[in-house]
Amino acid sequence: MTMQFNDETFRGDYSYFNSPAAVKRFPFPFDQDSYMYSVNIEQHPGGPKGSPFEFAFDVDEHYVAEMKDREITLAGDPMRCQSLPHMELAGWDLLELIMVSKARDYPELFKLTRDGNDWHWVNKPLGIEKRFTFLDPTTLPCGPMEYITRQAQGDFALLHEREGNLWLDAGMITSQADWSLDFDVGMNFFEWHAPVPKARKMGVFDKALKFLLAVGQDQSYRRLNWTMTVNPRLDTSPENYHKWGPEKRTVTPENVGKKQFLRVELQTFWRLPRSNALAFPIRCYLANLEDIASQPKWGRRLHRVLRDIDPDLAEYKGFAVNQKYIVDYLSQFDDGAETSPGIFPD
């Protein structure tokens, strides 16, 4: 294996860190100096070599640590993974999509051999080797969705299409930005997104649903979403708010650069072949303000975005209580120069 994986944690001592290379490939979500909701969907995969957009599913230095964190979360709360009975075929579709993609894009890390329905899967980073029969759940230690998402970074929602809507009927959700699979499972697209301020009135979700319903076989797309969190914690679930919520009050002008993190979601959308379900992977990336400010363009732009953002969005995005500390810290990196278009660093 050529990729080096970090020895790090997303809880407790919070030893998570980004290498300089990881900072430069961070999916910075702002392509201009201001922010308001938009659908911002583009084709996926496809992007600069080495970027998170290059391959179907990004594998990076945090892979092994993220999988360990998922295991801890599931051990404490198995309901973070749920699949309604009619979604098993979608789980097999997702398993196929992830295994085929990873074996193709990272052959030094993953290998998949198929002889009809007799499959042999090798995951070198996690030390997994498994022979199983595709579409036969008795040959796996758990359901197909759970099996493969215990080996894939990010959260995964499987959406069932019916009644002109999309229904959240299965998912593996352990790194979410303050929403609960156990509460939302079985909800439709609008119910699931009801807590988001302003967007429904702006028609954002109507446009998004119309687009997603039109996604056909062999089509896949992506968008970036973002929020902010204190400390590099993946599991910011409502169920564990008592653990991470009080941490917001631990930020000071002296530590804000290290403790305040920009949390970016690379959301992708895939129409699955047998079930016709829509797969919705949600990959979380974390970078603290020091990481962001190491790229001059990003430091300038993030200062302007967070300084001028709508107060309702600052509250929803989880940083209103520390907004002054954040903006004051970032102001030292904003020299007033123009920023170049796009999300990539100069």
Side-chain angles (χ1 to χ4, degrees):
M1 293 184 292
T2 56
M3 188 177 297
Q4 298 297 312
F5 300 106
N6 295 350
D7 182 9
E8 60 189 0
T9 59
F10 298 89
R11 59 185 76 209
D13 62 355
Y14 291 118
S15 61
Y16 170 90
F17 68 96
N18 285 308
S19 67
V23 172
K24 290 183 178 180
R25 71 188 302 274
F26 183 77
F28 188 73
F30 306 110
D31 63 355
Q32 55 188 3
D33 291 354
S34 60
Y35 174 77
M36 181 46 75
Y37 289 125
S38 64
V39 177
N40 69 309
I41 290 177
E42 57 186 351
Q43 286 190 319
H44 180 79
K49 183 176 176 59
S51 75
F53 316 121
E54 181 181 7
F55 297 132
F57 297 96
D58 186 38
V59 177
D60 63 10
E61 63 187 35
H62 307 296
Y63 175 66
V64 173
E66 287 190 31
M67 295 302 92
K68 290 179 180 177
D69 192 78
R70 167 157 291 162
E71 186 176 356
I72 294 170
T73 300
L74 289 172
D77 185 1
M79 299 305 285
R80 301 298 186 86
C81 181
Q82 298 190 45
S83 180
L84 300 185
H86 63 279
M87 297 300 286
E88 182 176 295
L89 184 59
W92 285 109
D93 279 338
L94 182 65
L95 177 145
E96 179 184 48
L97 174 63
I98 294 174
M99 285 188 176
V100 169
S101 298
K102 287 193 170 186
R104 178 192 64 226
D105 297 335
Y106 301 93
E108 73 281 9
L109 302 178
F110 307 97
K111 182 178 179 181
L112 177 64
T113 305
R114 295 184 285 179
D115 181 8
N117 282 349
D118 295 327
W119 289 26
H120 181 204
W121 168 247
V122 178
N123 179 329
K124 293 181 182 178
L126 298 184
I128 293 172
E129 181 174 355
K130 180 66 177 176
R131 297 181 186 274
F132 65 96
T133 303
F134 187 68
L135 299 177
D136 182 354
T138 67
T139 61
L140 289 177
C142 54
M145 181 192 70
E146 179 178 351
Y147 181 75
I148 194 56
T149 56
R150 281 179 176 267
Q151 303 176 52
Q153 288 167 278
D155 288 339
F156 293 83
L158 295 180
L159 311 179
H160 186 255
E161 181 176 338
R162 62 182 183 274
E163 301 172 8
N165 211 322
L166 293 170
W167 301 77
L168 176 57
D169 285 348
M172 169 68 86
I173 309 294
T174 65
S175 57
Q176 69 272 48
D178 199 13
W179 64 277
S180 169
L181 174 67
D182 197 32
F183 183 79
D184 289 352
V185 69
M187 287 186 178
N188 68 37
F189 189 79
F190 295 124
E191 293 168 338
W192 179 20
H193 288 94
V196 182
K198 299 181 182 291
R200 184 70 192 271
K201 291 182 179 179
M202 293 170 60
V204 171
F205 291 136
D206 298 274
K207 294 176 183 177
L209 178 62
K210 183 178 180 181
F211 178 88
L212 293 173
L213 289 173
V215 173
Q217 302 287 339
D218 300 320
Q219 291 182 316
S220 52
Y221 299 89
R222 67 170 178 254
R223 68 182 294 267
L224 294 176
N225 192 25
W226 69 278
T227 184
M228 300 198 77
T229 189
V230 174
N231 293 323
R233 176 182 282 273
L234 287 176
D235 177 21
T236 55
S237 60
E239 289 88 346
N240 279 330
Y241 183 80
H242 62 286
K243 297 179 180 179
W244 59 268
E247 293 178 348
K248 293 183 180 183
R249 299 290 181 175
T250 66
V251 174
T252 68
E254 292 73 31
N255 66 23
V256 64
K258 293 184 181 295
K259 288 181 71 73
Q260 186 71 59
F261 281 75
L262 179 60
R263 184 188 191 102
V264 176
E265 294 176 348
L266 171 55
Q267 303 176 348
T268 56
F269 313 92
W270 309 77
R271 181 68 72 174
L272 299 176
R274 300 169 186 82
S275 62
N276 202 45
L278 196 75
F280 180 28
I282 310 165
R283 171 68 194 281
C284 175
Y285 295 82
L286 295 163
N288 64 19
L289 299 184
E290 287 185 353
D291 287 339
I292 297 299
S294 71
Q295 307 303 307
K297 171 183 171 179
W298 291 353
R300 292 189 202 103
R301 178 163 291 170
L302 188 61
H303 171 247
R304 298 167 192 180
V305 167
L306 300 186
R307 178 193 63 195
D308 301 334
I309 197 168
D310 184 297
D312 288 344
L313 295 184
E315 187 68 38
Y316 176 69
K317 296 290 186 180
F319 68 94
V321 66
N322 293 316
Q323 186 173 10
K324 184 179 187 308
Y325 294 157
I326 296 167
V327 172
D328 286 351
Y329 174 83
L330 290 171
S331 66
Q332 66 185 303
F333 304 104
D334 189 351
D335 57 6
E338 290 188 12
T339 55
S340 60
I343 65 173
F344 297 102
D346 292 332

